[in-house]
Amino acid sequence: MEEPTRKTMRLRRKELQEILESKLNALLRCIPPADTNLQQFQDLLQDPKWAQLMELVDQMKTWDVVTTIPEPKTFLNHTRFHVLLADMLSDIGKYEPYLKLFIERFEAENELVALKQATRGQAGPGPGCQMPRKVNSSGRIDAPIHFAVTQLNEGFLVWLLERSRTDINLRNSHKETALAILCEMYDESLRPSKQPVDVSSRLPQIRKLIQRLLAAGADFNICSMRNKLPIELLDRNGDKDIETKSFVEQLKANPQHALVVIKPEGNVGLARFINNATNVNLTVELFEIFLRHKDVEQFQNYWPKFVVTPENVKKVIRLLLHTTLDQKLPECLWLVVEKNEKTIFKLVERPQKK
């Protein structure tokens, strides 16, 4: 394709993005939204300009030469509308009606976004916005489900859980699931604090959301970036108050699958199952726990029972193949490769340039 044509396409793409962004921001000034505002917002999301923009993005994806294995980018990420989504997610209570329409339109249930660093009082989406944007101090890249639990917004969480595309065990940039975030919040709420507000008052709501996630299929056996397991965060607070002790005992007594805990031994951690130990759910994330704690014995014990499929192979590569290299576990590396070498190293044909 000749350069002038590419330039024309870039200019058209920029023009479409600016037009659509301006119209979205204008509607987002209306807080709380009236029915007419929501209808206008919904109509805008069906504007033919979106289809034109999507077509341009698809054509321009093939322009650059790929020298590494790229992370797939969504339409919202390509067009930077994920920034607008992040702004709305920063205050779900304020933007919830708009959020639901936006997420549904772009199938953005699992869209990972980061909040902009902002000072208090800085405006949110659109000029003239009436409420300050919340400050992002975590540095995390989160999906809607992570924002929902962080803000303890039960209504929005329930809405997400009812949507078939929502990945309840999706991890953010800190490798935390929504369940892990809630357990971390629970742990923090029981620590001595100098904050003027008694954060322990949020414990009942956190327990309620944890139970909602578990009922919807959330998995305790997924570690965070710091190798923390959600059940361990709760378990270590079992003796701090009666309600917490009862809650933890209830969770441990009726797990859907065997719960894994780590027992340190020298330079490694031994993964052991508590309760329901005969019902082990073999997931990629469970094997990642074995590898991160260098429990080669458990990995070798359960790996023969696991099946690598086209559906889970990317996760196997990202979570297991890479971890065996990071942890310097050559024996586990070869076990992973030998399991289904053709699937793991399958070459994908690059789309032809248009």
Side-chain angles (χ1 to χ4, degrees), residues 145 149 152-162 168 178-179 182 204-219 247 251 256:
I145 194 170
V149 297
L152 298 180
N153 192 310
E154 184 179 6
F156 188 64
L157 176 63
V158 170
W159 180 80
L160 286 171
L161 295 179
E162 290 174 346
I168 194 171
L179 180 61
L182 285 173
Q205 181 66 4
I206 295 176
R207 287 195 291 265
K208 188 176 182 180
L209 296 190
I210 288 175
Q211 289 173 324
R212 280 201 176 275
L213 287 174
L214 292 173
D219 190 355
F247 179 62
L251 294 178
Q256 185 176 4

Side-chain angles (χ1 to χ4, degrees), residues 179-193:
L179 180 61
I181 290 173
L182 285 173
C183 293
E184 182 76 38
M185 290 171 64
Y186 199 97
D187 181 52
E188 291 175 353
S189 298
L190 289 172
R191 297 177 196 167
S193 174

Side-chain angles (χ1 to χ4, degrees), residues 94 118-124 126 128-135:
K94 177 181 176 182
T119 56
R120 294 196 182 277
Q122 182 175 340
C129 201
Q130 300 170 11
M131 292 183 68
R133 179 191 297 158
K134 294 186 178 180
V135 176

Side-chain angles (χ1 to χ4, degrees), residues 10-11 51 81 113 199 222 237 274-275 296 328 336 338 343:
R10 288 193 184 99
L11 290 174
F81 280 106
V113 297
V199 292
I222 301 177
N237 293 298
I274 57 173
N275 299 339
V296 176
K328 299 179 181 179
V336 173
E338 291 172 354
T343 301

Side-chain angles (χ1 to χ4, degrees), residues 163-202:
R163 302 190 63 75
S164 60
R165 283 187 293 265
T166 300
D167 182 354
I168 194 171
N169 292 311
L170 181 67
R171 295 155 94 176
N172 62 16
S173 60
H174 288 187
K175 293 186 177 294
E176 297 167 320
T177 63
L179 180 61
I181 290 173
L182 285 173
C183 293
E184 182 76 38
M185 290 171 64
Y186 199 97
D187 181 52
E188 291 175 353
S189 298
L190 289 172
R191 297 177 196 167
S193 174
K194 296 181 181 179
Q195 298 182 29
V197 179
D198 181 13
V199 292
S200 65
S201 61
R202 64 184 185 176

